[in-house]
Amino acid sequence: ATRWASPPAAMAPPADHPAGAAERALGLFAAALADGLVAGGVRDVCLCPGSRSTPVAVAVQRHPALRTWIHLDERSCAYFALGLAQARQAPVALLCTSGTAALNFAPAVAEAATAGLPLVVLTADRPPELRGVGANQTVDQLRPYGGHAKAFAELPLPVAGDAAAGAARHWGRRAPVLATAAPAGPVQLNLPFREPLIPDLPAPAVLTPDREGPPPRVEPAPGDVGALASLVGERRRGLIVAGPGHAPDGVQAITGLAAALGYPILADPLSQLRRGPHDRSHVIAGYDAMLRAPAGPDLRPEVVLRVGRTPTSKALGAFLAGLTDAEQVVIAEPGRWNDPDLVATRSIDADPTAVCRRLLEALATLAGPDAAWLTAWRERERRACAAVDASLADGLTEPGAIRSLIDALPPGAAVVAGNSMPIRDLDTVLRPGPEPLHVYGNRGASGIDGVVSTALGIAAARPGSPLALVLGDLSAYHDMNGLLAVRRFGLSATIVVLNNDGGGIFSMLPQASRVPEFEPLFGTPHGLRFEHAAAQYGLGYARPATPQAYREALADSLARDGAQLIEVTTERAANAALHEAMWGRVRDALA
């Protein structure tokens, strides 16, 4: 149940300005919407200041069951909410004023849609009579996110009576439920308001939350489970490919199934399978390196169970695309068919954890697994990882910096990897181990924007737990204003910026040697250093020049409160040469 706190004295209406009917209707509407959000499971609201959103901003700020996170920039605000939703695995609301503010939410809304994260997007708007007539700060806010919003509703204008407030309470309650229902994603509520915009807030009806905890899982059909059990029961040489995921009990379900079948698990770094006290006997972490050399017939599976979202590794994607003679089964929530190369032979549209559990129950009489199959994968992984380690023995390199960061993190810490090269290097160097480690990233739309804000949103959801962010220089430049959240919310983080003066991943693509205009078009040198940005936003700063100095900077940062920015300067061409030499060494080791 929810209760309302008394409004702060500074917010109370002046005695000589008694509230009229419009203010009372507005207050009833805003109060009903806020309490509906609470009933639907929302506990965090990220908002940016603005005039048109005043009624809802005041209502959520005063609600004792809601925590508000006030930002100054809509794009950073939305990505911060995305981080909260990732870490909490719960719906988070966004609120902005009218006009282009709503459009600045769009990149994070797209990420939420493709990553399956529940956001409730509240966009304040001008009333209908001001649309299309040249009114200031008015744009088309009806479905501005297109198919990226899984649901949309425009609420009625607040008027006297129960109908408008009833609609606000209904949609406030319904939107979070829609956002969390499989497949999870963003829901937009457009909120037109006429002036006056200062609400006279009443105490709303006490509501009991509809649901505490995650929504019920989508269970697989018994016939699908039976057919899959027959398939894997006849094929002893199989693989489980585990993509990004954060289901708390999904790790046990996948590892238990792998142990029964004897199937290696090719575990994406975001699958949460590589680190922790669970059974890791079937986890293969070095597949990205080992699959860069042609795999012989002894490593070709008869069946592949593809669990969850699309993995990070391009080498793994090419390997799966070439398995045209294998049965490939996509196991994902309804609407999340992840098969970019169109080679899957069937799918099961249900929660992956539920499918793994039901399949394991159906395999009670399975014959013993093929031990030689797992051994072959393990031996190939061992040789590939040894070649990678030998390549990173000297100097302060980008993959070496990420490996040192992982080694420095204490058990239970979180690491957020930026897109382009950092997440790929993390995939290469993150080995299995018993120490718990939570790994996050924006791998839905895989953009380089908003990564700082996402990481700080995750930090806000994990107070007292160490968090590190590693990202490239262009990504840090894109979201420097997100660093303001550190001071506003008292957050702690270790931020490692790998600065190679441009877009390092392009140096590894054909454009680097075949396009004469490569440097301005793709290399994009900028000449920036981040010392002044760290000072501007109140962060500690270090720019170590040696591996030892870097490790000392990491240890110092992780031992103190607040946020520190550690800048590691590298050179793009040297980084590309390092990776090429590393993959050559891997190919030689596996020949």
Side-chain angles (χ1 to χ4, degrees):
T2 64
R3 292 189 178 89
W4 280 68
S6 298
M11 298 295 292
D16 58 344
H17 288 83
E23 287 89 343
R24 289 193 294 272
L26 188 63
L28 184 62
F29 180 95
L33 178 63
D35 206 63
L37 291 170
V38 171
V42 172
R43 295 296 179 269
D44 297 281
V45 181
C46 299
L47 61 94
C48 289
S51 176
R52 194 62 54 165
S53 55
T54 296
V56 181
V58 173
V60 298
Q61 178 73 2
R62 294 182 186 176
H63 200 299
L66 292 171
R67 169 75 188 266
T68 55
W69 305 85
I70 302 173
H71 295 257
L72 306 185
D73 169 69
E74 282 81 11
R75 188 174 75 167
S76 291
C77 178
Y79 274 106
F80 187 93
L82 200 74
L84 282 172
Q86 276 198 68
R88 296 208 197 283
Q89 290 292 288
V92 174
L94 278 168
L95 172 65
C96 70
T97 191
S98 62
T100 58
L103 303 183
N104 280 293
F105 282 168
V109 170
E111 176 65 27
T114 49
L117 294 170
L119 295 182
V120 177
V121 185
L122 308 172
T123 53
D125 199 358
R126 278 355 196 208
E129 66 269 18
L130 293 184
R131 299 173 189 168
V133 294
N136 185 44
Q137 204 170 323
T138 304
V139 302
D140 184 359
Q141 294 181 205
L142 304 181
R143 302 184 185 274
Y145 311 118
H148 290 130
K150 62 181 292 189
F152 168 85
E154 179 166 55
L155 274 60
L157 286 158
V159 293
D162 296 332
R169 181 174 285 107
H170 167 84
W171 279 104
R173 194 171 191 168
R174 183 178 177 187
V177 175
L178 286 172
T180 54
V187 172
Q188 182 200 0
L189 301 182
N190 199 51
L191 312 173
F193 294 120
R194 291 191 181 107
E195 296 181 355
L197 298 171
I198 309 300
D200 178 26
L201 290 169
V206 176
L207 296 178
T208 301
D210 289 341
R211 181 181 64 236
E212 294 291 346
R217 287 193 165 94
V218 179
E219 290 284 337
D224 288 342
V225 174
L228 186 56
S230 298
L231 175 67
V232 299
E234 298 169 357
R235 292 166 171 80
R236 300 178 69 194
R237 294 196 164 199
L239 295 174
I240 297 176
V241 175
H246 288 278
D249 52 355
V251 168
Q252 300 294 339
I254 295 172
T255 55
L257 178 62
L261 292 170
Y263 288 3
I265 307 170
L266 309 190
D268 187 87
L270 301 174
S271 69
Q272 317 310 318
L273 284 161
R274 295 194 189 181
R275 289 291 180 94
H278 55 272
D279 176 16
R280 301 177 309 282
S281 59
H282 290 65
V283 172
I284 303 293
Y287 59 83
D288 180 71
M290 59 187 283
L291 292 177
R292 292 176 183 273
D298 58 324
L299 293 180
R300 293 186 69 84
E302 301 168 302
V303 61
V304 181
L305 305 181
R306 297 166 58 166
V307 180
R309 293 188 284 118
T310 304
T312 300
S313 171
K314 188 174 181 179
L316 175 58
F319 174 72
L320 295 174
L323 298 177
T324 54
D325 55 345
E327 289 274 2
Q328 297 199 44
V329 184
V330 172
I331 302 171
E333 290 180 334
R336 296 289 182 194
W337 181 298
N338 298 309
D339 180 27
D341 295 298
L342 307 177
V343 293
T345 53
R346 66 178 77 185
S347 74
I348 297 182
D349 295 333
D351 181 86
T353 299
V355 174
C356 291
R357 285 177 171 171
R358 300 295 171 260
L359 181 56
L360 184 58
E361 294 168 359
L363 294 173
T365 59
L366 185 70
D370 182 352
W373 171 244
L374 177 61
T375 299
W377 277 86
R378 282 226 166 277
E379 173 58 21
R380 189 173 176 87
E381 179 191 37
R382 184 193 65 76
R383 286 188 281 152
C385 290
V388 169
D389 291 343
S391 302
L392 302 181
D394 301 317
L396 185 54
T397 64
E398 294 185 23
I402 294 176
R403 183 174 63 175
S404 294
L405 173 62
I406 295 299
D407 292 343
L409 292 173
V415 61
V416 183
N419 283 317
S420 287
M421 285 309 299
I423 185 62
R424 289 172 168 83
D425 284 337
L426 180 72
D427 197 356
T428 299
V429 303
L430 179 59
R431 308 290 166 72
E435 306 82 6
L437 178 68
H438 305 275
V439 186
Y440 296 93
N442 287 343
R443 292 302 294 173
S446 299
I448 66 169
D449 50 344
V451 177
V452 171
S453 297
T454 296
L456 294 178
I458 294 170
R462 296 168 47 88
S465 179
L467 178 135
L469 164 65
V470 57
L471 75 169
D473 49 294
L474 291 183
S475 188
Y477 164 74
H478 262 269
D479 197 22
M480 275 194 293
N481 50 357
L483 293 171
L484 185 60
V486 169
R487 186 167 65 236
R488 290 182 70 84
F489 308 126
L491 303 177
S492 295
T494 295
I495 301 173
V496 177
V497 177
L498 304 175
N499 189 350
N500 54 35
D501 193 26
I505 195 170
F506 290 108
S507 296
M508 304 181 192
L509 300 179
Q511 291 93 319
S513 59
R514 297 176 59 184
V515 178
E517 302 86 356
F518 171 80
E519 195 62 8
L521 288 178
F522 302 100
T524 56
H526 48 72
L528 296 176
R529 291 288 182 265
F530 291 87
E531 180 176 5
H532 298 295
Q536 171 76 8
Y537 293 106
L539 279 65
Y541 176 81
R543 193 168 76 197
T546 66
Q548 179 61 28
Y550 173 62
R551 289 190 290 268
E552 291 173 357
L554 289 174
D556 177 69
S557 177
L558 292 167
R560 66 167 70 183
D561 292 332
Q564 293 76 42
L565 191 152
I566 302 173
E567 184 173 3
V568 176
T569 55
T570 64
E571 202 274 325
R572 277 184 279 122
N575 185 52
L578 168 70
H579 282 79
E580 183 57 38
M582 181 166 62
W583 304 140
R585 191 174 272 190
V586 168
R587 287 189 291 269
D588 291 342
L590 298 177

